[in-house]
Amino acid sequence: MTQPYMGALKQVERLMQDSLGVYSQNSMNQLHDLCVQMSQDTIYDVDYLKLMELYGRKYRKEKNEDALRYVVMRMQQVTLARKNPKSAAKYKGIVFTDKPLDSFTKAFLQEFPLLLHTYEERYKVRILQMATFVFVILLIPLVLLFHLSFLIIWLLLLLLFGIFVYYTFKYGYESIVKDQIQDLIQSVDPTLKKLDQMQMSQ
């Protein structure tokens, strides 16, 4: 049975808010213990996002940019999955609900609105540039080699161009993001890394 963790997470949040300068050891110990418990349980999406928000605030305070980027990317993935049942089904350890996000979690996410979108746009631009370059380079040699009309070769290459771009956009981007997350996760706490392995496996 899924156990709600929001009450305990909010308690840690209050401890963190009461800390001056660095976060108190007590708040960090409680955050660690909650992460351990949640890695061994099926958890609600809102609880996962709250936990990640707290870790994000911790990493921002520590100026651990890679860990912070990992947290934000995972939060954005789960936030998007809340709107897409097909994506939500990939995350076996998370129960998706229609519960509203905590106001502090919303505010934290709004500080990084375009991270995944930026990755996607950069990826698409690179793929289009590469595909266009190959298209142009192959066009004239293929016309000369096969002695076909320029129009026929152009149409065939255009078809291949479209197929390549479609499948690369559809499947390649997810692979790039997955690889990026695997690089960034090396910077996070071992307990959070374990939670990722248990709850975010697809």
Side-chain angles (χ1 to χ4, degrees):
M1 180 177 179
T2 304
Q3 176 181 348
Y5 287 94
M6 187 58 71
L9 290 164
K10 294 293 286 183
Q11 180 178 342
V12 174
E13 178 182 67
R14 286 190 290 272
L15 289 173
M16 292 172 69
Q17 290 172 343
D18 290 341
S19 300
L20 298 176
V22 297
Y23 292 129
S24 68
Q25 190 61 47
N26 183 29
S27 64
M28 293 298 96
N29 288 343
Q30 289 192 37
L31 183 62
H32 170 275
D33 292 344
L34 277 172
C35 188
V36 171
Q37 293 176 43
M38 292 171 72
S39 69
Q40 300 168 351
D41 196 6
T42 303
I43 56 178
Y44 289 117
D45 52 354
V46 289
D47 293 345
Y48 173 82
L49 290 168
K50 187 64 184 178
L51 177 76
M52 295 298 280
E53 176 219 329
L54 297 179
Y55 269 104
R57 296 187 185 282
K58 170 182 182 287
Y59 293 138
R60 183 164 57 186
K61 180 82 73 173
E62 295 172 350
K63 301 188 186 306
N64 187 340
E65 295 296 328
D66 284 348
L68 176 59
R69 194 175 298 114
Y70 157 81
V71 164
V72 173
M73 289 180 72
R74 277 306 199 198
M75 290 181 73
Q76 290 183 350
Q77 283 183 317
V78 171
T79 301
L80 290 172
R82 280 166 58 88
K83 306 172 186 177
N84 186 333
K86 185 176 180 181
S87 296
K90 297 177 181 179
Y91 302 108
K92 306 303 182 184
I94 296 179
V95 176
F96 284 84
T97 70
D98 57 359
K99 296 178 181 178
L101 293 183
D102 173 84
S103 60
F104 288 105
T105 303
K106 279 185 181 179
F108 181 80
L109 281 168
Q110 287 169 358
E111 296 179 41
F112 310 92
L114 299 176
L115 186 57
L116 274 182
H117 178 73
T118 300
Y119 273 106
E120 183 176 7
E121 290 304 308
R122 288 177 180 173
Y123 173 75
K124 287 181 176 180
V125 168
R126 286 199 298 268
I127 292 300
L128 285 173
Q129 288 174 338
M130 181 180 70
T132 302
F133 176 77
V134 173
F135 179 89
V136 172
I137 291 297
L138 290 179
L139 184 58
I140 300 302
L142 287 177
V143 170
L144 297 176
L145 180 64
F146 292 103
H147 304 290
L148 296 174
S149 72
F150 181 87
L151 179 61
I152 291 175
I153 294 295
W154 186 84
L155 289 173
L156 287 173
L157 283 177
L158 187 62
L159 176 63
L160 292 174
F161 177 89
I163 293 172
F164 171 78
V165 169
Y166 172 78
Y167 281 100
T168 306
F169 279 5
K170 186 173 183 179
Y171 300 108
Y173 171 67
E174 290 185 5
S175 177
I176 292 294
V177 170
K178 186 176 181 179
D179 290 343
Q180 179 69 22
I181 285 176
Q182 290 308 307
D183 288 340
L184 295 174
I185 201 175
Q186 306 309 317
S187 302
V188 308
D189 294 21
T191 48
L192 189 56
K193 188 175 181 179
K194 181 180 179 182
L195 180 129
D196 188 278
Q197 293 168 346
M198 299 299 293
Q199 309 295 17
M200 299 299 289
S201 59
Q202 298 187 36

